[in-house]
Amino acid sequence: MLGGGDCDKGSGDDSKGSNGDIMGRVIGLHFLSLLTTAAARTGSDLKAVLAALDLGVHTREGRPPLLPLTLLAALMEQLESRATRGRFVFALAEVFNFDGQPAVAAFLTSARNLRQLHRLLEWVPELVHPDLRFEIRDQAPEAWLHPAVTSAEPRLADHPLLIELMTAVAVHIGRLVAPQLAVVRQVEFRHGPLADPAHYEAWFGCPVTFHAARNTLRGDSHLLDGALPGSLPQANASAEETIRVHILGDGVAPSLVAEAERLLRQRPALFSEGLAGLAAALRLHPRTLQRRLREAGQDYAGLVARLRHELACEMLREGTLDIDSIGIKLGFSERRSFTRAFSQWQGMPPSAYRRAARSGRGDQS
């Protein structure tokens, strides 16, 4: 999206494209529209910046090329320095959307809860730019989100403006889908302030610190499970399938991790069958499944724990099954082991979580 494909993945190649454009020196129309709106809000001279960087606009058929990280950083630096009314990166975050990728926009607006949107953040390298990434850590009662800019060039690694843009976009998305929740309660940046620190706190609506050990958004884990007002499970599943097949997979089958998640959701009995049962359902040898999960940055225990946690919260909040039945359905041999695991995930036993959810506090506190 950032100067790259509005519909599917672009290319990082700097050679000449088949359409005659110099790869990496043009930006897509959707990204241009976002830049234009943000520049108008802040008084930044977009036309002058495009001319200074020798950047054109991709107007031919086919997807635009990927904007190299050096150009993306320079674009943000120049637009920020020319802004006369507020911060350009904050204005860009406020107008940021996935309208150029309808399936992604549908996935975002139809999600059941914020935890489900973790997948969207995991897809950022494919959907937005391969050098922009988020690491998600969830250990009740806290949850952390770590934005990162990856580059072998020291000046570009965790580039302050790009980190601030990523952080602001993440907060903006949270506000769009869960306007009633204070999802982020603290923001921490490794770099020093690029403007008056008070401006940061006013925009983010929470304390902001600088010179931290790591770029971090801090929040409360239990807020991730609150039902979202736009929840449409069937539409969300269809949107995710479209993203995985036509955008992430470039027309091929869903990833192994996605297929494993689908099977465990559709057939919860697999939780009781262990690694061997899931491997058989995927028609793989258990060792092959372990190896391929490792290659995807996953492991069986972590995958199962994450899905058990997510499904347990859904069943407790929305279903009518008693707690013993939920534990059995998720593969726990007894209620005590389910209660212990859930308390570690959520910071409270399942009975307390269900009471809070039914009283209307599960989505707010």
Side-chain angles (χ1 to χ4, degrees), residues 234-252:
Q234 287 186 322
N236 189 265
S238 297
E240 180 171 358
E241 182 178 2
T242 299
I243 292 167
R244 290 191 182 279
V245 174
H246 296 293
I247 302 178
L248 303 181
D250 200 21
V252 300

Side-chain angles (χ1 to χ4, degrees), residues 109-127:
T109 56
S110 63
R112 294 188 302 274
N113 52 46
L114 290 170
R115 190 179 300 280
Q116 192 175 24
L117 294 182
H118 282 178
R119 296 173 207 167
L120 182 60
L121 295 174
E122 291 168 353
W123 298 336
V124 162
E126 288 78 21
L127 296 177

Side-chain angles (χ1 to χ4, degrees), residues 155-188:
R155 189 186 76 82
L156 295 176
D158 280 352
H159 187 281
L161 278 177
L162 295 180
I163 287 291
E164 290 188 5
L165 176 61
M166 294 173 68
T167 303
V169 167
V171 171
H172 169 67
I173 289 175
R175 290 170 177 168
L176 284 178
V177 299
Q180 77 281 12
L181 296 179
V183 177
V184 178
R185 57 178 172 79
Q186 184 166 333
V187 173
E188 300 171 2

Side-chain angles (χ1 to χ4, degrees), residues 134-135 137 143-147 163 166-172 183-189 204 214-219:
F134 285 97
E135 179 188 342
R137 295 176 58 207
W144 302 269
L145 185 62
H146 301 295
I163 287 291
M166 294 173 68
T167 303
V169 167
V171 171
H172 169 67
V183 177
V184 178
R185 57 178 172 79
Q186 184 166 333
V187 173
E188 300 171 2
F189 291 119
F204 286 108
R214 193 172 186 186
N215 297 306
T216 305
L217 291 83
R218 295 181 179 271

Side-chain angles (χ1 to χ4, degrees), residues 6 21 47 75 91 174 181 234 258 261 279 290 326 336:
D6 288 345
D21 289 325
K47 183 177 180 180
L75 182 63
L181 296 179
Q234 287 186 322
E261 289 183 0
Q290 287 179 310
I326 291 174
R336 182 169 53 187

Side-chain angles (χ1 to χ4, degrees), residues 113-115 138-143 181-182 185 219-227 309 313 317 342 345-348 353 356 361-365:
N113 52 46
L114 290 170
R115 190 179 300 280
D138 182 4
Q139 186 175 352
E142 287 196 288
L181 296 179
R185 57 178 172 79
D220 297 319
S221 179
H222 68 269
L223 293 179
L224 301 177
D225 298 300
H309 182 193
C313 289
R317 187 175 58 248
F342 190 86
W345 298 329
Q346 198 64 29
M348 66 177 72
Y353 181 86
R361 293 182 286 110
D363 299 340
Q364 301 173 26
S365 60

Side-chain angles (χ1 to χ4, degrees), residues 316-337:
L316 289 165
R317 187 175 58 248
E318 301 166 3
T320 57
L321 286 177
D322 59 70
I323 292 174
D324 288 336
S325 298
I326 291 174
I328 292 171
K329 193 175 183 69
L330 295 176
F332 291 92
S333 58
E334 57 182 4
R335 176 167 176 157
R336 182 169 53 187
S337 57

